[in-house]
């Protein structure tokens, strides 16, 4: 009887381990916020991006007069940056969009703006 109980407990433990959830996607917030991101040389002319820790967003150039502004947030799976409440420099509303995060680190950020088929290969502005 004791052997059957031990085998039963062992099987339950194995089943529990096999059903465990995978680790959640890493949260890029601390690595991408509060810095201006510029296009890497030779990758295009995409405007610089700024993701402030308070959830505000800016597109254009650091200190620029003609920048777009709005809000940003991570999707629940932490794989997309969702931009909303966008106003251009004339305060005209623009529809929001999403960036699919491909890779990120303290100094590099690669995103896919899939709605327009644009890859943003960015580095921290110098």
């Amino acid at each position: 009887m004791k052997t059957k109980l031990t085998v039963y407990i062992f099987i339950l433990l194995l089943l529990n381990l096999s059903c465990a959830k995978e680790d959640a996607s890493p949260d890029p917030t601390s690595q991408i916020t509060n810095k201006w991101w510029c296009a890497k040389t030779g990758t295009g002319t995409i405007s610089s991006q700024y993701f402030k820790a308070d959830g505000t967003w800016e597109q254009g150039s650091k200190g620029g007069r003609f920048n777009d502004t709005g809000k940003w947030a991570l999707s629940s799976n932490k794989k997309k940056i969702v931009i909303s409440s966008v106003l251009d420099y004339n305060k005209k509303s623009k529809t929001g969009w999403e960036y699919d995060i491909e890779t990120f680190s303290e100094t590099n950020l690669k995103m896919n703006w899939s709605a327009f088929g644009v890859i943003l290969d960015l580095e921290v502005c110098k």
Side-chain angles (χ1 to χ4, degrees):
M1 181 71 167
K2 189 174 184 178
T3 304
K4 285 185 179 181
L5 182 60
T6 303
V7 170
Y8 180 70
I9 290 171
F10 180 72
I11 290 171
L12 285 175
L13 285 172
L14 285 176
L15 287 172
N16 189 34
L17 290 174
S18 68
C19 295
K21 291 183 180 180
E22 292 181 21
D23 290 338
S25 296
D27 188 336
T29 302
S30 66
Q31 294 185 358
I32 67 170
T33 54
N34 297 327
K35 48 184 109 167
W36 277 94
W37 294 94
C38 293
K40 289 181 180 175
T41 303
T43 62
T45 58
I46 294 297
S47 295
S48 299
Q49 306 286 312
Y50 184 74
F51 304 100
K52 194 169 179 183
D54 70 359
T56 57
W57 165 84
E58 200 168 335
Q59 174 178 265
S61 61
K62 186 176 183 177
R65 280 184 32 201
F66 304 106
N67 291 357
D68 298 329
T69 59
K71 296 179 181 182
W72 76 278
L74 284 177
S75 61
S76 60
N77 66 3
K78 300 178 183 155
K79 294 182 179 184
K80 292 180 185 281
I81 295 174
V82 180
I83 309 292
S84 61
S85 304
V86 178
L87 297 174
D88 68 12
Y89 67 93
N90 287 321
K91 304 298 180 208
K92 289 185 182 173
S93 180
K94 292 184 175 184
T95 56
W97 52 82
E98 296 179 346
Y99 297 136
D100 298 315
I101 301 170
E102 293 189 3
T103 59
F104 65 90
S105 71
E106 288 285 332
T107 57
N108 293 287
L109 176 60
K110 189 171 186 179
M111 303 182 295
N112 182 357
W113 193 4
S114 56
F116 294 95
V118 175
I119 298 294
L120 289 81
D121 195 359
L122 309 169
E123 62 188 356
V124 176
C125 300
K126 295 174 173 105

